[in-house]
Each structure stands twice: as structure tokens, then as C-alpha cells.
Amino acid sequence: MRIAQITPYYPPHMGGVEIHVKNLTKALSERHEVDVVSSNSGDVVVPSIDIPYSPIPVMKVDVRADIYHAHVPSPFFANLFRGKKPLVITYHNDVVIPERVSGFRLPAFGSRIAEFVNEKIVRRILDEADAIIATTHDYALTSPILREYMDRVHVIPNGIWVDDFEYRREKEDFLLYAGRLVEYKGLGTLISALEGSDVRLVVAGDGEDRGRFEKLVEVKRVKAEFLGRVSYDTLKDLMSRAKALILPSKTRLEAFGIVLLEAMASGTPVIACNTPGVRFVARHGGFVFDSVEELRRIIESLDDAVVRRMGRRGRRYAERHDWRMIAREVERVYERIL
């Protein structure tokens, strides 16, 4: 089978969709020919206007495939292949433009227009899709767009390479945040939950709001260490040693949380904000919270017995999400529409 994976960006550009497509391509390539189409790298690079998060292709390309598999929410690359058949769309998340982007506060009116335009284009794409993939029922059923297409939705979760992660029972006395340092990711909520405590927080990642978070740590008297961007090997080591990993993202831009699976594979409990999709994953190896006070209580409850029990549960759940298993599920969707 010849498969075209169509994505706005591809590594070395980094993001959740990029990582997903890279690993799905790797797993599918064990049995199929896979061409990656993107704006920046891959097998077919399409000249594009590089609008952040949504590059706009400026020319059509002739890509021959048995399956065209495009990834949204960024719609312009998927729209480029809208007339191709059969067409599969992976709907990663809704578009909810944050109040601040790249450190600047955006006008609410402009954000609403951008969200409206994105929705119109995405709906046209979904109308023509032969199959739609969502990562959880929880997210799909709560999406104002995706819930209208449930007759064509196939739920296939994100994956990880399970063997990449060391399962470690004995943990060290620190909490881990791993992700971009931007407001909507919710790090401020975590810092507030640790206000005045003796709990040590390790922050792996960088972003435009790092300075704001470093100042907040000083104000709240939190014992936090900012490592900046770290290597994948360093991140895996931190995950295996941490007492818990916390994903406090509070918007629908976070629909699954691959980092949760990675921590679970390491035998590390997870704590996540009670948002659709993310909460479904987190409950299989940890806890969800609705408020700063509840997050604080969960952190205080993390004794050795709880950590080990949740670590074992999470590892069992993660083992069912190896990329080779996930790729098989995707292949079955392809076979149904060929």
C-alpha cells in the first residue's frame, strides 16, 4: 500500500502533531511505502507562506497514493488534498486561540474570526473525508465540530515506543513538568498549588512565558528548577525518576497528552487537569483535578504506596499503546475504505 501522510509541519519542526506523524510513519513504513508531505521537510516539501501553526501552501503537488491521510486542525495542507480519494483525516484537536501568543495578548475579535475561518475550512474537509480518526471518544463527543461526524469517526489513541522507556519502581522526591512554557499549558496553576511548600519542582521545556513563570516561582516561594529545553534521553531519565508528572493544560488545545503515556511507561503517576481527552488518559495511571486546591491535595497524598500502585497501573495501560499496535489499528481503517 502506498500512503501519503499530509501534515503542515514535520520534524525537525517540533510539536505534538509532528511527533505523531513521524512515529506513525515509522511504524507504517515497516509494511508500506509512506510519503510525507509538509511545508518544511519530508518526501514532498510544498512551498508555503509560513504563517505560525498554519502554513499556507502556494502551489499544488502531484502525489500518487492509495490512501491520503491528512492531519488537522491546521487546515490548509489537508485542504490541498480535499479532492483526493480515499481521504482519512486525523482530527487532533479543536482550535481555541489562546489569549496570549508569542508573549502578546491578541484581540478577542481577531481570535474569533480566525477560529471561525478555521472551522469553515475544517468542516469542508471533514464533509469529504471517507474516515475520521479521533484519539478518544471523550474528546470527540465534546468537540463542537467532531461530534457532528461521529458516524465516520474511528477512535485510535496516540502511541509511544514502549521499549524506549525504563520502568522504575523507586522514585525520587521531585515533581516533573515537561512541555512548552506558555500560559495556556497551565504551569501557573501548578506553581500556585505548590505555593510555600517544600515540594521540589523540575521544569523541562522552554517558551515565551518562561520569564513570567520564573518570577511567579519567586513570588510564590516555590522550589523550582528550570532546565530549559532538554534532550529526549534526558527527558526519559527525568520521567523515570520523578515522583509524578503533572500536565496542567487547561484548554482544548491539549486533547490527549502523549507525555502522559510516556510517564506511565516509566512507572510514574500522572496528574492532569480535568479536560476532555486528557482526563480519560490520566485516570488510567493517576489523577485529575479541577482546582488549585484539589491539585494541592493530590500532591500531598502521593506517598510511596500510592506512587507504586499508580505506576504499575500506568505501565500496564501504556503497554497497550505501542506504535506498532496503533499502526495496525490505522491500517484497519485504511482497509475498510479501500
Side-chain angles (χ1 to χ4, degrees):
M1 190 186 306
R2 184 156 197 156
I3 304 161
Q5 292 287 332
I6 301 140
T7 176
Y9 295 114
Y10 192 66
H13 191 284
M14 294 308 294
V17 175
E18 294 91 316
I19 293 169
H20 174 101
V21 176
K22 177 184 177 181
N23 287 306
L24 178 58
T25 296
K26 177 182 175 182
L28 289 172
S29 294
E30 293 181 357
R31 289 175 299 281
H32 308 284
E33 291 183 64
V34 185
D35 291 322
V36 175
V37 182
S38 84
S39 69
N40 68 306
S41 69
D43 302 288
V44 180
V45 177
V46 183
S48 304
I49 301 171
D50 191 17
I51 296 175
Y53 305 109
S54 292
I56 302 175
V58 296
M59 62 177 287
K60 288 185 175 290
V61 291
D62 184 23
V63 177
R64 303 293 179 88
D66 300 307
I67 290 284
Y68 297 88
H69 187 165
H71 299 260
V72 301
S74 178
F76 300 111
F77 265 72
N79 194 57
L80 191 65
F81 288 82
R82 186 156 53 94
K84 297 290 188 178
K85 291 289 184 177
L87 177 64
V88 178
I89 300 295
T90 292
Y91 188 100
H92 289 273
N93 59 271
D94 297 325
V95 168
V96 183
I97 297 177
E99 292 182 1
R100 292 164 54 94
V101 175
S102 299
F104 298 98
R105 190 167 295 278
L106 299 179
F109 178 71
S111 297
R112 287 196 298 270
I113 290 176
E115 291 170 359
F116 175 79
V117 170
N118 184 88
E119 179 176 335
K120 296 291 274 188
I121 299 172
V122 167
R123 284 184 181 275
R124 287 204 300 266
I125 296 165
L126 296 181
D127 286 342
E128 295 194 19
D130 297 286
I132 301 165
I133 295 174
T135 52
T136 67
H137 272 113
D138 184 31
Y139 195 87
L141 291 171
T142 57
S143 166
I145 298 175
L146 204 52
R147 65 188 178 196
E148 298 180 13
Y149 296 87
M150 293 303 293
D151 60 320
R152 276 175 284 153
V153 167
H154 304 260
V155 175
I156 302 177
N158 274 309
I160 57 171
W161 297 103
V162 176
D163 291 342
D164 282 357
F165 297 89
E166 177 190 357
Y167 174 63
R168 184 182 294 183
R169 295 183 66 224
E170 301 302 320
K171 303 297 182 180
E172 298 178 20
D173 195 17
F174 70 90
L175 303 177
L176 177 64
Y177 170 91
R180 291 174 57 215
L181 302 190
V182 291
E183 187 176 26
Y184 78 84
K185 286 283 191 178
L187 180 57
T189 299
L190 173 55
I191 293 170
S192 295
L194 296 176
E195 183 173 7
S197 75
D198 291 326
V199 178
R200 179 174 163 235
L201 172 65
V202 174
V203 179
D206 212 341
E208 56 261 29
D209 291 325
R210 175 172 175 170
R212 295 178 62 248
F213 291 131
E214 289 176 330
K215 290 178 182 176
L216 185 61
V217 159
E218 294 178 8
V219 171
K220 299 287 187 180
R221 294 176 291 114
V222 172
K223 297 179 179 179
E225 180 182 6
F226 288 79
L227 301 181
R229 191 169 295 156
V230 300
S231 70
Y232 187 46
D233 286 341
T234 298
L235 180 59
K236 289 188 294 183
D237 178 64
L238 289 168
M239 283 183 177
S240 70
R241 294 189 289 114
K243 190 175 184 179
L245 177 132
I246 303 179
L247 180 63
S249 300
K250 51 190 177 181
T251 80
R252 294 188 64 86
L253 291 171
E254 195 80 63
F256 187 91
I258 294 176
V259 70
L260 298 175
L261 280 183
E262 294 175 334
M264 290 181 193
S266 308
T268 297
V270 298
I271 306 170
C273 189
N274 186 19
T275 55
V278 170
R279 64 192 177 194
F280 174 82
V281 179
R283 284 175 174 143
H284 287 86
F287 309 89
V288 299
F289 67 90
D290 287 296
S291 65
V292 169
E293 293 73 26
E294 188 174 10
L295 175 55
R296 183 181 295 118
R297 288 195 298 270
I298 292 170
I299 291 170
E300 291 172 350
S301 74
L302 292 175
D303 59 28
D304 290 344
V306 169
V307 169
R308 287 176 181 168
R309 183 174 72 253
M310 287 298 175
R312 288 193 299 270
R313 283 183 55 187
R315 175 68 187 196
R316 288 195 295 268
Y317 183 72
E319 286 173 348
R320 303 201 299 270
H321 293 76
D322 189 83
W323 267 116
R324 288 185 177 88
M325 298 179 185
I326 302 305
R328 288 290 189 187
E329 294 187 42
V330 174
E331 285 174 344
R332 284 192 279 273
V333 172
Y334 296 164
E335 290 162 0
R336 288 180 64 175
I337 62 176
L338 276 173

